[in-house]
Amino acid sequence: VGPVDAAINAIQSLVSETADIELEEYHIEAITGGTNALAEVFVIISDENGNKATGRSTVDDIVMASVDAVLDAINKILIER
């Protein structure tokens, strides 16, 4: 119900005509300390055909790391098709 959820829902609605994706798993971890910590996001995405793909991103913004990881996984599913 926050900015990460909103971003992922927006991505899902944008690609819904091409791929009906579902977020299976979402993991986030701070890999450095302090106020400028890097966030590493790992996701598993599936589509309506049962295809699954993983995505990963590491940046200093949690929302952007999440978006990058989801897009990485979606691209892998689309390449697989």
Side-chain angles (χ1 to χ4, degrees):
V1 285
V4 172
D5 185 50
I8 292 172
N9 287 336
I11 292 169
Q12 285 175 315
S13 69
L14 287 171
V15 301
S16 64
E17 290 185 23
T18 305
D20 184 20
I21 60 136
E22 182 177 332
L23 182 63
E24 298 274 330
E25 289 186 38
Y26 175 89
H27 299 281
I28 185 165
E29 184 175 342
I31 58 172
T32 60
T35 58
N36 59 349
L38 289 175
E40 180 178 44
V41 174
F42 173 79
V43 298
I44 299 176
I45 299 285
S46 65
D47 70 1
E48 70 277 9
N49 299 325
N51 298 317
K52 290 188 177 190
T54 61
R56 185 180 304 266
S57 177
T58 304
V59 294
D60 60 355
D61 182 284
I62 293 170
V63 177
M64 285 309 300
S66 301
V67 167
D68 288 346
V70 169
L71 291 176
D72 181 40
I74 290 171
N75 285 332
K76 289 177 183 175
I77 284 179
L78 294 177
I79 288 170
E80 189 69 27
R81 290 181 170 187

